[in-house]
Amino acid sequence: MFCDSAYSYRDSNMVDAFGNVHIVQGDTLNLYGNKINYSGDNKLAKVRGNVKLVDKSITLTTEALDFDLASNIGYYTTGGKIVDTANVLTSITGKYYSNDNLFFFKDSVVLTNKDFVLRADTLKYNSQTERAFIVGPTTITGTNKDGVLYSENGWYDTRTNISELYKASKLQIKTRSSKEIHCFMTERQGMGAESTGFY
């Protein structure tokens, strides 16, 4: 741990660190903040103020993050922003499993990239594959706004714009929409689906 100043409490095995705090975890994870309260007993770092977590290709920023250095799991509850090579994700709460490159987002989730905007209440996201896993009511709107995709279960590959949808899935294109579909879908040529029954 690096910092401008720190207080160490031997009786409680805790450290309070202040100013330009920097924790290095393993080969790829760096955690920064204005101040950190660290418990040596449970390996929990409570980072506050201008928090930034950099791990492999992702950068997470928030005002408050609790990070378990034993399990490499971090979580925030006051709003956070994640940026990777192609996407920007925001949510009120989030949990990051560093060892699995996996995020769980909850409440006002928005995923944005150059091709679409995804909105959901709950979402799983693999930062290595850049694949979003739909686990509840979700809409995906193309940047040209020609179509809106809705689904409640499935996955969406943000690199290839290919998705597989399983529950209550609907594709609306301007004045047309499809009824219930279970389909493999590609958007390389624009909004489209392998289904019939447009009305």
Side-chain angles (χ1 to χ4, degrees):
M1 181 190 296
F2 306 92
C3 61
D4 291 341
S5 62
Y7 295 99
S8 178
Y9 310 98
R10 292 186 179 180
D11 291 345
S12 58
N13 195 21
M14 298 183 75
V15 174
D16 284 327
F18 305 92
N20 300 304
V21 184
H22 178 197
I23 291 177
V24 180
Q25 177 77 341
D27 295 328
T28 62
L29 194 147
N30 289 270
L31 184 57
Y32 306 88
N34 290 347
K35 60 182 180 179
I36 291 179
N37 172 265
Y38 176 72
S39 170
D41 290 341
N42 57 24
K43 309 297 183 188
L44 182 66
K46 296 183 177 181
V47 192
R48 301 295 183 264
N50 296 312
V51 180
K52 181 169 73 171
L53 183 151
V54 180
D55 188 19
K56 307 175 190 81
S57 64
I58 69 103
T59 300
L60 184 160
T61 54
T62 182
E63 280 302 306
L65 179 76
D66 291 353
F67 195 87
D68 187 327
L69 294 166
S71 62
N72 282 337
I73 297 172
Y75 55 93
Y76 60 86
T77 59
T78 58
K81 178 180 179 181
I82 292 85
V83 178
D84 65 16
T85 58
N87 303 298
V88 177
L89 298 100
T90 59
S91 69
I92 302 301
T93 64
K95 197 167 189 178
Y96 178 48
Y97 295 80
S98 175
N99 294 340
D100 301 317
N101 303 297
L102 194 62
F103 281 93
F104 286 87
F105 299 107
K106 181 72 177 170
D107 196 355
S108 305
V109 183
V110 180
L111 186 160
T112 306
N113 79 3
K114 64 183 181 62
D115 295 318
F116 67 87
V117 176
L118 181 152
R119 299 180 187 277
D121 179 71
T122 306
L123 189 74
K124 292 197 308 184
Y125 181 74
N126 186 302
S127 60
Q128 185 174 45
T129 63
E130 296 181 3
R131 180 173 287 191
F133 296 89
I134 297 167
V135 293
T138 300
T139 61
I140 303 171
T141 306
T143 52
N144 58 13
K145 299 185 179 177
D146 283 344
V148 177
L149 176 64
Y150 174 89
S151 187
E152 296 179 3
N153 186 266
W155 55 262
Y156 193 102
D157 190 315
T158 67
R159 290 177 178 171
T160 63
N161 285 339
I162 293 174
S163 62
E164 190 166 321
L165 311 171
Y166 309 120
K167 181 180 178 184
S169 303
K170 247 191 260 190
L171 174 66
Q172 296 178 328
I173 302 176
K174 291 184 177 176
T175 59
R176 302 179 301 164
S177 68
S178 66
K179 294 185 179 181
E180 294 285 323
I181 56 174
H182 176 145
C183 68
F184 168 86
M185 181 173 182
T186 178
E187 294 189 59
R188 283 195 174 276
Q189 303 301 322
M191 280 284 181
E194 295 177 2
S195 79
T196 58
F198 287 95
Y199 63 90

